[in-house]
Amino acid sequence: MRRMRRWLSGTGAAPLGNLNAQLRDEAWPPGIHPPADNNKEPSAEPGIHVTEEITGWFQQVLARTSAAGLTAFAGDGNSTAPYLTTRQGSRRFSAGIAHAATGSVQDAKYTLLGIPFVGTDHVFRLNGTRVEAFSGVHADLFGHLSLGLLEQYRSDVYALRSTWPSDTWDEKWNGPVSIHQDGSVLAMHMLP
């Protein structure tokens, strides 16, 4: 566990990656090589062995992929694309390419449980009842993400983690609201 903590905070030999920098599109040879057993070399297992030398890059991959998930959840493909490499699908979120998973548009703003959020909303029928679902991200945090300021986002979301409300119903919205620790929100209510 001690070694893992050191890797997660970086070392002089293997510093953490700059989260605001564009992600290098690297390919590491697959295969995890378990230790030899009785001088017999076992077969490689599927997967990638994250060694100390690549932990900075791997930490950057995880953080930027997570940021891409948040901006996509809020419906902003233009902010999503820069967080991904070509192999991860950045072109699917670039303007001009239509893809069913990227059809939502970040065009809605709501204050839920007293917190401003930006994102996208969808109307659908649930057993014949019209329902609106809103998915978004805390407005200030989304501002950092849309500008590529992932380090600032992480700092601010960490500071906010103990301030998120425990309520799950917003009277003004008239429906359930779920706020996640990463600053994302999903809210639903029935429409007349």
Side-chain angles (χ1 to χ4, degrees):
M1 183 58 113
R2 173 182 248 188
R3 187 174 187 184
M4 180 63 82
R5 267 187 260 137
R6 187 186 84 222
W7 281 20
L8 292 175
S9 59
T11 66
L16 297 181
N18 176 354
L19 301 184
N20 293 339
Q22 186 71 28
L23 184 61
R24 295 184 321 268
D25 196 359
E26 297 189 18
W28 297 96
I32 299 172
H33 301 280
D37 186 26
N38 295 330
N39 294 329
K40 182 181 175 191
E41 190 69 32
S43 300
E45 298 288 330
I48 301 293
H49 184 187
V50 180
T51 62
E52 188 171 6
E53 295 77 35
I54 65 170
T55 55
W57 172 80
F58 189 67
Q59 179 251 3
Q60 188 184 22
V61 169
L62 293 177
R64 292 183 67 82
T65 304
S66 178
L70 284 171
T71 55
F73 186 67
D76 189 347
N78 290 332
S79 293
T80 302
Y83 286 112
L84 301 173
T85 65
T86 302
R87 277 189 296 154
Q88 289 175 319
S90 65
R91 283 181 281 171
R92 295 177 192 257
F93 292 95
S94 300
I97 297 178
H99 188 270
T102 61
S104 61
V105 178
Q106 186 267 309
D107 63 351
K109 299 177 182 181
Y110 291 105
T111 299
L112 301 165
L113 300 173
I115 302 168
F117 290 95
V118 296
T120 188
D121 53 3
H122 299 276
V123 175
F124 58 94
R125 291 194 185 276
L126 186 62
N127 294 331
T129 303
R130 290 181 67 225
V131 176
E132 178 181 19
F134 171 73
S135 62
V137 177
H138 182 287
D140 292 341
L141 297 175
F142 183 81
H144 298 323
L145 291 171
S146 67
L147 294 172
L149 303 174
L150 188 49
E151 297 276 1
Q152 186 64 50
Y153 159 80
R154 288 169 58 102
S155 174
D156 287 1
V157 79
Y158 183 80
L160 287 169
R161 69 186 178 143
S162 64
T163 68
W164 299 121
S166 59
D167 294 338
T168 58
W169 187 271
D170 186 303
E171 291 295 332
K172 202 170 180 183
W173 170 259
N174 194 29
V177 175
S178 175
I179 300 175
H180 196 266
Q181 293 291 318
D182 62 4
S184 62
V185 66
L186 179 61
M188 297 178 70
H189 66 179
M190 291 188 301
L191 293 174

